Amino acid sequence: MIFKWIILLAVVFLVFWLFKPFQRRQKHSADTAARAAENMVRCAYCGVHHPESESITGNGHNFCCAEHSRLYSQSRSRRE
Ligand SMILES: [Zn+2]
């Protein structure tokens, strides 16, 4: 009789254990879907991808910060 309860408890635990990551994944995919709606651009200097709204545009390239925009134009002018 007690064996039946242990199995029942194990089944309940298993259901919760299987369902928990699924819930988390659903929330995570909703977050990424909201973020994916925004266009991602690559920093021409360091290669980091970031939202277009946070990017700094210069010389026809996108940069993650003003510092990289400056460093990129410096390295370009040094090469030319
Ligand atoms: Zn960068």
Side-chain angles (χ1 to χ4, degrees):
M1 189 65 185
I2 198 153
F3 205 69
K4 197 173 136 190
W5 282 106
I6 290 167
I7 289 169
L8 193 76
L9 213 74
V11 167
V12 169
F13 178 76
L14 204 77
V15 166
F16 271 102
W17 184 68
L18 287 171
F19 196 67
K20 218 173 178 182
F22 175 72
Q23 275 185 320
R24 210 179 300 150
R25 218 176 302 141
Q26 264 192 327
K27 195 175 178 243
H28 181 73
S29 64
D31 284 351
T32 49
R35 233 183 265 172
E38 189 169 0
N39 200 17
M40 297 295 278
V41 290
R42 188 174 173 272
C43 175
Y45 187 75
C46 67
V48 165
H49 285 82
H50 53 281
E52 197 169 21
S53 64
E54 291 172 25
S55 80
I56 288 153
T57 311
N59 306 323
H61 296 283
N62 292 298
F63 302 96
C64 63
C65 58
E67 180 74 10
H68 283 179
S69 172
R70 192 178 59 81
L71 288 167
Y72 184 81
S73 57
Q74 266 184 1
S75 66
R76 279 306 278 291
S77 62
R78 219 176 288 149
R79 236 178 280 157
E80 286 165 2

